[in-house]
Amino acid sequence: SDRKGAENALQKAIEDLRSTQSQLIQSEKLVALGQLIAGIAHEINTPLGAIRASIDNTLGSFDDAIANLPQLLEFISSNANHLKLFMSLLEKSKATQIDLSSKEKRTLKRQLRNRLSSENIEGATTIVDTLIYMKIGDFLEELLPLLKENEAISIVKAARNFVSLQKNSGNITLAVDKASKVVFALRKFAHHDISGEKAEMDIIDSIETVLTLYHNQIKQGTELIKAYQTLPSVWCYTDEIHQVWTNIIHNALQAMEYKGILTIKTFESATQVIISFTDTGCGIPDDIKARIFDPFFTTKERGEGSGLGLDIVKNIIDKHQGEIEVESEVGKGTTFRVFLNKR
């Protein structure tokens, strides 16, 4: 009876520990989300601003196109070359994907203006600006005979409105995709697997989820190098593994004061997948290296860390029968390697 009572007490203690660990992991995730929230808001507000601007541009181009439609129809129906010019502008703009730097644009604009002026074509500046906007400046020689036609500048302006509608629709699509990516990553990160069971997991996709949420912090001055080798899926407690990457990446960025190089590599051995995170930060002194996984141990300022982050990481890796190791040199940076067993 005493033995059975002791076993029950032990079982209850184990369950309490598991529950406490799960609560700690969720608590740390909420802390991480709190630290990330301003960056995440920025990452969503930026594409929303792009959508707002694109819609305003679209409405302006649409109103202009409608206002000039009677004149455009008159131009292209009265002269076959007008229709040919209009269609050439649209087709070439749709087919080209050339993006020029600001310096390249200035140089090309100067060359095109000089060329049009040498042909005594009116409205050279407007035509050149429009061709650059439509990304078809390289086709000037081919279009030159048509640009000498009367009303060519009006045809070019009309074509620009139609291209603007297309470009702004593309910008909206890109902005929606970006915002959706952030929201999707946020949902995956914040998700709590109540089943408490392992699931098949794409390790690289998991890392990318966390990197998406840290994008705003990373782009402040961190160079991110990804050296991914394709990995087999691994059976993991998915939300807990997200927490591992979050803590390691967050620590790396803090160690570099958000300015440096973060290198993430993935590779595999016969029995394990290996993920390494290398930062060029301040490094860890030898006298505290052995203590970094201890609970409540932290070198951060008060309020910047609980000291539980790496303890939780170690417990999660232990729970997966994996390993974590650290190499560090003061002033040279730190590498964390996580080893997870294949199925």
Side-chain angles (χ1 to χ4, degrees):
S1 177
D2 288 347
R3 183 177 175 182
K4 190 170 183 180
E7 286 176 353
N8 288 339
L10 179 60
Q11 186 62 37
K12 185 176 185 307
I14 290 171
E15 287 172 3
D16 287 346
L17 280 171
R18 283 178 180 157
S19 174
T20 301
Q21 185 187 31
S22 177
Q23 288 169 14
L24 276 174
I25 290 167
Q26 285 303 108
S27 175
E28 281 288 303
K29 284 175 74 171
L30 289 174
V31 169
L33 279 177
Q35 293 166 336
L36 284 169
I37 208 74
I40 292 168
H42 180 81
E43 288 300 296
I44 294 174
N45 281 330
T46 298
L48 288 179
I51 290 169
R52 179 73 263 173
S54 295
I55 289 171
D56 290 343
N57 291 337
T58 296
L59 291 173
S61 297
F62 183 74
D63 290 343
D64 206 26
I66 293 298
N68 293 316
L69 189 57
Q71 191 180 20
L72 174 63
L73 293 174
E74 185 181 333
F75 288 154
I76 62 178
S77 61
S78 64
N79 187 322
N81 279 343
H82 288 172
L83 177 59
K84 188 176 179 182
L85 173 59
F86 183 71
M87 294 309 298
S88 293
L89 292 167
L90 295 185
E91 287 163 5
K92 286 177 169 50
S93 182
K94 189 174 182 180
T96 187
Q97 298 295 325
I98 301 167
D99 284 312
L100 301 177
S101 67
S102 297
K103 185 178 179 181
E104 288 171 331
K105 282 180 184 177
R106 286 195 300 271
T107 302
L108 184 57
K109 278 185 180 183
R110 191 164 53 249
Q111 292 171 349
L112 298 184
R113 274 199 302 268
N114 292 340
R115 184 72 182 97
L116 289 177
S117 297
S118 72
E119 296 288 339
N120 297 314
I121 292 175
E122 290 185 16
T125 299
T126 300
I127 290 174
V128 167
D129 287 347
T130 304
L131 294 181
I132 296 292
Y133 173 80
M134 297 169 74
K135 300 183 180 180
I136 56 176
D138 289 340
F139 296 104
L140 178 64
E141 291 301 323
E142 190 179 330
L143 295 167
L144 203 53
L146 297 171
L147 292 172
K148 292 178 181 179
E149 293 284 335
N150 291 333
E151 310 297 347
I153 190 169
S154 297
I155 302 295
V156 169
K157 284 180 178 178
R160 186 192 193 282
N161 285 327
F162 283 85
V163 170
S164 176
L165 294 172
Q166 180 191 16
K167 285 183 71 169
N168 283 295
S169 295
N171 289 340
I172 289 170
T173 300
L174 288 174
V176 168
D177 287 347
K178 183 174 182 181
S180 297
K181 182 181 178 184
V182 175
V183 172
F184 183 66
L186 190 55
R187 285 181 62 193
K188 283 173 71 175
F189 178 82
H191 170 72
H192 179 48
D193 183 10
I194 57 173
S195 72
E197 295 179 2
K198 285 184 176 179
E200 203 168 7
M201 184 180 201
D202 182 327
I203 294 294
I204 292 173
D205 179 63
S206 171
I207 294 169
E208 284 294 307
T209 294
V210 176
L211 289 175
T212 296
L213 298 181
Y214 273 99
H215 181 258
N216 190 64
Q217 282 86 339
I218 289 170
K219 72 182 182 185
Q220 291 175 16
T222 303
E223 181 186 350
L224 180 61
I225 298 174
K226 302 175 189 177
Y228 295 155
Q229 286 184 15
T230 304
L231 298 178
S233 294
V234 178
W235 282 84
C236 298
Y237 300 101
T238 54
D239 54 337
E240 297 187 12
I241 290 296
H242 281 144
Q243 192 61 45
V244 171
W245 315 143
T246 300
N247 279 325
I248 294 175
I249 290 170
H250 182 70
N251 285 346
L253 293 173
Q254 280 196 327
M256 297 188 291
E257 296 181 344
Y258 300 91
K259 290 178 177 60
I261 302 170
L262 174 61
T263 304
I264 304 175
K265 296 180 180 179
T266 64
F267 44 100
E268 61 179 310
S269 67
T271 58
Q272 293 179 310
V273 299
I274 302 109
I275 308 94
S276 74
F277 300 81
T278 302
D279 66 66
T280 56
C282 56
I284 304 168
D286 288 338
D287 59 333
I288 65 171
K289 205 178 293 182
R291 300 177 59 201
I292 62 171
F293 295 108
D294 290 352
F296 302 107
F297 177 77
T298 181
T299 59
K300 296 173 184 175
E301 297 292 327
R302 184 183 294 274
E304 284 190 11
S306 63
L308 286 172
L310 286 176
D311 173 53
I312 287 173
V313 165
K314 182 72 165 60
N315 285 329
I316 291 171
I317 300 302
D318 288 346
K319 185 176 175 180
H320 287 78
Q321 289 85 47
E323 303 164 64
I324 183 168
E325 62 181 31
V326 59
E327 282 181 20
S328 189
E329 191 175 340
V330 174
K332 297 278 183 73
T334 301
T335 296
F336 280 94
R337 289 188 196 87
V338 174
F339 301 80
L340 295 172
N341 297 322
K342 294 180 181 178
R343 292 182 65 180

